[in-house]
Amino acid sequence: MSDEYVALSDEDSEEDAHGYPHAHRQPPELQGTVSKWTNYIHGWQNRYMVLKDGTMSYYRNQNETAFGCRGSISVRKAIVKPHEIDECRFDVCLNDCVWYLRTSTEEDKHQWVDAIQQHRLECDGLRRHGSALSLTSNTLSTTSGSSLKKAKGLREKLAEIDTYRDILIRQMDTLQSYFDACAEAYKDLKNVEVTCNGIEPEHESAVEAALALDGGAAADSPLPPPPVAVAAAAAAAAHRKHSPPRHPHPHITKETLEKHGGYAADFKGEALTFKATTAGILATLSHCVEVMNQREDSFRRRLEREAERRRRLEEKLKQALAYSTQEGHTSAPPRVVVMGGPDYEEGPHSVIGEDEFYDAVESALDKMDEEEEFRERLRQKQRAAPQQPVTTHPLWPQIDKLTMEQLGYAQQGVEGGVWQLFAEEGEMKMYRREEEEGGLVVDPLKAVHQVRGATAHEMAHHFWSPDVRFEWDTSIEQMTVLDRISKDTLIFLQLHKRVWPTAQRDALFWSHIRKIPPSDPANGDAHDTWIVCNQSTDHPDAPKDEKVVRVDLTVCFVCQTFLDPPPPEGEAPTRDNLLTKITYCSVVNPGGWAPASVLRAVYKREYPKFLKRFTQYVVDKSTSQPVSFSGLQIKDHSKHWRG
């Protein structure tokens, strides 16, 4: 990092001719590339950081600074914690938000830490006058006692702020009267100077003597005053006769008058501005208190959930301790490694001990062995199980009925205002109906699309076949065919990749592919029609895992091939004659808990990308292949796939 900042100069602490401090310069702006801990999947990532106006923001790289930051944090009240071991690391903490940062050199770390500290010391509203700092420190010293140690309510804190405001207003009124007195005395002094104007310089001492005599200071002088002095004394007496009484502040000197007498109006304007500003702040804080009171129920529910989670963890800990003390179990309870940040990863500064590190690796290896044993049991079971007719399988009535229902559902129109268009790109249109079940988003989706260069059979086969699923579905971590009901019906168990901070999810479902007979009315004018139907189910070899959320789904994928334009009579159609219309319908219950707005935003972003990516994949895959309208190429699916 080559970025540098300029330190504040000495001029910032000097005062002008009237005793007012110069305007302070803004704290340094700093920007450059810093490593930021993201999560356990991606670890440390280089991010472009910008520190400006008390806010620290980060971008993926410098080229994205014009498109908005990915995150920001206010450093005015943040705490900066240098790492105890790693000399290039420091953490920026604000309440529950913690940024783990690491620079390339120790000098760069000190540069960032110093800049953040200067932003923390900067206070925009209290640097205009020299007395502001002392006023702030006085207020802080008043509130830094036992009152801050007590858990007072927000309304009580608001009343304290109102009290401090009244104190400040009274202090300003006192200062205002002082400045007004200086202004009046300053005017009187100017009038005296005007009255005495025109006296020759050699008589100035006489004038001073006359003024002193007029004030009683030379009452015992034996010498009579000269005529000039008498005239000056008469002028002073006349001025005193028509002037108000002497000001009750005899300590105000001529220098004080010249220094402060002309600033009474400026201070009055600043005082009025301060009063209006503080009144607005109090009104805003009062509104915030009302909002916080309204959200009290939500906070209470969160607290109850956290208390329940803690209770469960305490019960598990008690069970582990009880297990270690039972007869025949002399070993210590298993160690629990808490993953709280980048300190618990492999590296020279890792705080994980050797035993904990070995336990974590051994646990992962044991899990891999269990998965291999599970796959082996599936292979043996499928070799031993005789292939039974599909119509005798317990799931067949459900499969046959649901497939035909979904076919009719897919061919229904989207008119009538029931469906809402939420994405459109070229020939692809995606509709939805907003529905929730138990607080979870289960919006039914329907997409219509058409592509050229591929048949309905090719589209449906690639959507159904497990042999090519990893080529187009990048969300799958591993996939297992648990059962083979028939050559066109399989039972899948799919484990999807985790997207932090959501929980990991899996799906257990049967998948059936079928060609609709030409005589079926659903075929219409199409050359051929294919459907793939997926439905969640249960299986004894795939019980639910407490650590993984199981998705409930119903999906149908209907494809129809049209010859447009039709080939010449007597000639076989080519790919230039193929037009395939696609209808995709799904109802997915993601399980777990996730905000409805987030799920709908993800659906709007990912579903169009998925359908466009899949159809383009099939077109590219089929370009060099002969045109295929029917026929299934079934392989031995008694195996396990891992992405």
Side-chain angles (χ1 to χ4, degrees):
M1 184 185 65
S2 59
D3 308 278
E4 296 181 355
Y5 60 85
V6 180
L8 297 176
S9 65
D10 295 336
E11 295 179 356
D12 297 327
S13 60
E14 295 178 356
E15 295 184 347
D16 57 16
H18 302 292
Y20 285 84
H22 288 292
H24 282 68
R25 294 182 182 178
Q26 293 294 329
E29 297 181 7
L30 193 58
Q31 53 188 354
T33 302
V34 177
S35 296
K36 182 179 182 295
W37 174 262
T38 55
N39 51 58
Y40 291 104
I41 299 177
H42 301 95
W44 292 99
Q45 296 290 330
N46 287 337
R47 294 291 182 258
Y48 191 77
M49 296 283 177
V50 176
L51 179 60
K52 181 180 179 181
D53 297 333
T55 302
M56 193 172 187
S57 310
Y58 75 91
Y59 309 80
R60 183 184 290 272
N61 51 57
Q62 188 174 3
N63 298 328
E64 293 188 1
T65 54
F67 304 104
C69 66
R70 290 180 169 266
S72 62
I73 187 173
S74 175
V75 300
R76 296 192 184 278
K77 296 184 179 180
I79 300 175
V80 183
K81 298 180 180 178
H83 198 265
E84 297 179 356
I85 302 176
D86 192 346
E87 297 179 351
C88 297
R89 253 197 62 186
F90 64 97
D91 304 336
V92 181
C93 312
L94 180 61
N95 297 330
D96 296 335
C97 179
V98 181
W99 283 13
Y100 303 102
L101 305 175
R102 193 175 191 280
T103 59
S104 57
T105 64
E106 186 178 358
E107 291 76 11
D108 292 341
K109 183 197 77 170
H110 292 309
Q111 193 176 21
W112 279 99
V113 171
D114 293 342
I116 293 174
Q117 294 292 358
Q118 292 191 40
H119 278 264
R120 290 183 65 244
L121 296 176
E122 175 67 15
C123 187
D124 294 335
L126 297 176
R127 285 186 175 268
R128 299 190 61 184
H129 300 291
S131 61
L133 184 58
S134 61
L135 185 62
T136 305
S137 61
N138 186 22
T139 305
L140 291 177
S141 64
T142 306
T143 62
S144 62
S146 59
S147 60
L148 290 181
K149 299 179 181 179
K150 300 178 181 179
K152 295 185 178 180
L154 293 176
R155 293 187 181 277
E156 189 172 352
K157 291 296 182 182
L158 187 61
E160 290 182 4
I161 296 176
D162 197 8
T163 302
Y164 296 144
R165 176 177 178 268
D166 293 339
I167 295 173
L168 290 175
I169 290 176
R170 286 197 298 270
Q171 292 177 348
M172 285 191 299
D173 291 340
T174 302
L175 291 175
Q176 184 64 50
S177 64
Y178 172 76
F179 278 108
D180 291 341
C182 291
E184 292 297 330
Y186 186 64
K187 292 178 182 178
D188 294 344
L189 180 63
K190 289 295 184 181
N191 291 333
V192 172
E193 291 178 355
V194 171
T195 303
C196 298
N197 190 20
I199 299 176
E200 297 299 331
E202 59 271 12
H203 300 302
E204 288 183 357
S205 59
V207 173
E208 293 177 358
L211 290 175
L213 180 62
D214 179 66
D220 299 330
S221 177
L223 299 177
V228 178
V230 173
H239 174 73
R240 185 176 68 255
K241 179 178 180 182
H242 298 286
S243 299
R246 293 181 179 271
H247 200 274
H249 296 282
H251 60 279
I252 300 179
T253 62
K254 181 178 179 181
E255 291 76 10
T256 302
L257 297 179
E258 293 177 348
K259 186 175 182 180
H260 299 294
Y263 292 98
D266 294 341
F267 186 83
K268 181 178 295 185
E270 294 294 335
L272 293 175
T273 303
F274 177 81
K275 293 177 182 178
T277 303
T278 52
I281 293 175
L282 290 177
T284 304
L285 290 176
S286 179
H287 176 71
C288 293
V289 171
E290 295 297 332
V291 174
M292 294 296 290
N293 289 334
Q294 293 174 4
R295 299 199 61 184
E296 183 178 0
D297 294 338
S298 175
F299 293 151
R300 185 183 297 109
R301 288 193 297 269
R302 291 184 181 181
L303 179 61
E304 291 175 355
R305 287 197 297 267
E306 292 296 330
E308 178 65 18
R309 185 180 305 173
R310 178 176 179 178
R311 184 186 63 80
R312 293 178 181 176
L313 291 175
E314 290 177 350
E315 289 180 355
K316 291 182 179 180
L317 179 60
K318 291 179 181 179
Q319 293 175 2
L321 294 175
Y323 175 83
S324 64
T325 56
Q326 288 178 359
E327 184 177 359
H329 298 283
T330 58
S331 60
R335 297 183 178 91
V336 179
V337 179
V338 180
M339 300 300 181
D343 294 327
Y344 295 92
E345 66 168 355
E346 179 182 359
H349 306 296
S350 176
V351 299
I352 302 179
E354 294 182 1
D355 295 338
E356 288 82 359
F357 197 97
Y358 174 76
D359 291 341
V361 174
E362 186 181 34
S363 176
L365 295 176
D366 291 342
K367 184 177 181 181
M368 295 173 62
D369 293 339
E370 292 175 0
E371 292 177 354
E372 182 62 31
E373 293 176 0
F374 173 70
R375 293 194 296 268
E376 182 62 28
R377 289 198 304 270
L378 287 177
R379 286 193 290 265
Q380 294 177 1
K381 179 179 179 180
Q382 293 178 1
R383 293 193 196 103
Q387 184 67 37
Q388 56 182 345
V390 63
T391 56
T392 62
H393 195 279
L395 288 176
W396 176 248
Q398 178 193 10
I399 295 173
D400 184 59
K401 178 182 178 181
L402 187 64
T403 300
M404 299 310 297
E405 288 178 353
Q406 289 295 314
L407 178 61
Y409 176 74
Q411 292 185 335
Q412 293 178 2
V414 293
E415 298 82 9
V418 178
W419 294 93
Q420 302 176 7
L421 179 67
F422 72 92
E424 182 176 5
E425 182 177 351
E427 299 292 339
M428 180 178 60
K429 296 181 179 180
M430 306 203 77
Y431 303 85
R432 74 180 178 197
R433 297 199 316 263
E434 292 191 358
E435 295 182 7
E436 294 187 10
E437 181 178 317
L440 290 175
V441 175
V442 291
D443 295 351
L445 299 176
K446 177 177 283 191
V448 292
H449 191 29
Q450 60 183 29
V451 295
R452 288 189 172 275
T455 65
H457 167 252
E458 291 168 341
M459 286 286 176
H461 173 73
H462 284 85
F463 187 81
W464 174 82
S465 176
D467 298 320
V468 296
R469 188 162 300 177
F470 279 109
E471 297 181 10
W472 59 268
D473 193 347
T474 58
S475 67
I476 301 176
E477 182 174 313
Q478 64 185 40
M479 177 183 62
T480 305
V481 177
L482 295 180
D483 199 357
R484 179 183 175 185
I485 299 177
S486 66
K487 66 177 183 179
D488 56 8
T489 308
L490 304 174
I491 296 181
F492 291 91
L493 175 62
Q494 291 184 170
L495 181 65
H496 294 269
K497 298 176 181 177
R498 183 189 179 195
V499 179
W500 190 87
T502 62
Q504 193 168 26
R505 283 167 166 78
D506 67 0
L508 175 62
F509 60 94
W510 55 258
S511 182
H512 175 67
I513 184 172
R514 175 183 298 187
K515 180 181 180 181
I516 305 302
S519 59
D520 195 302
N523 199 55
D525 298 332
H527 186 274
D528 64 344
T529 302
W530 286 80
I531 181 175
V532 177
C533 186
N534 300 338
Q535 170 68 34
S536 293
T537 187
D538 296 323
H539 197 277
D541 292 333
K544 291 185 178 180
D545 189 346
E546 294 181 356
K547 300 179 181 179
V548 180
V549 178
R550 180 150 295 176
V551 176
D552 185 82
L553 58 87
T554 301
V555 175
C556 76
F557 187 73
V558 180
C559 305
Q560 292 181 299
T561 304
F562 295 87
L563 300 181
D564 182 23
E569 186 176 355
E571 295 185 8
T574 64
R575 296 202 174 272
D576 295 333
N577 305 118
L578 301 179
L579 175 65
T580 299
K581 295 185 178 180
I582 301 169
T583 303
Y584 174 85
C585 303
S586 69
V587 179
V588 179
N589 187 337
W593 183 93
S597 59
V598 174
L599 287 177
R600 290 192 172 104
V602 171
Y603 291 166
K604 183 177 181 180
R605 167 185 167 176
E606 293 301 321
Y607 270 105
K609 289 171 56 179
F610 145 73
L611 191 57
K612 184 178 180 181
R613 181 174 62 246
F614 170 73
T615 54
Q616 187 61 44
Y617 159 78
V618 177
V619 171
D620 296 340
K621 192 86 171 178
S622 306
T623 300
S624 60
Q625 302 296 326
V627 177
S628 173
F629 288 102
S630 63
L632 288 177
Q633 300 177 358
I634 305 299
K635 299 182 180 180
D636 180 16
H637 296 301
S638 59
K639 56 184 179 180
H640 178 92
W641 288 263
R642 179 183 293 272

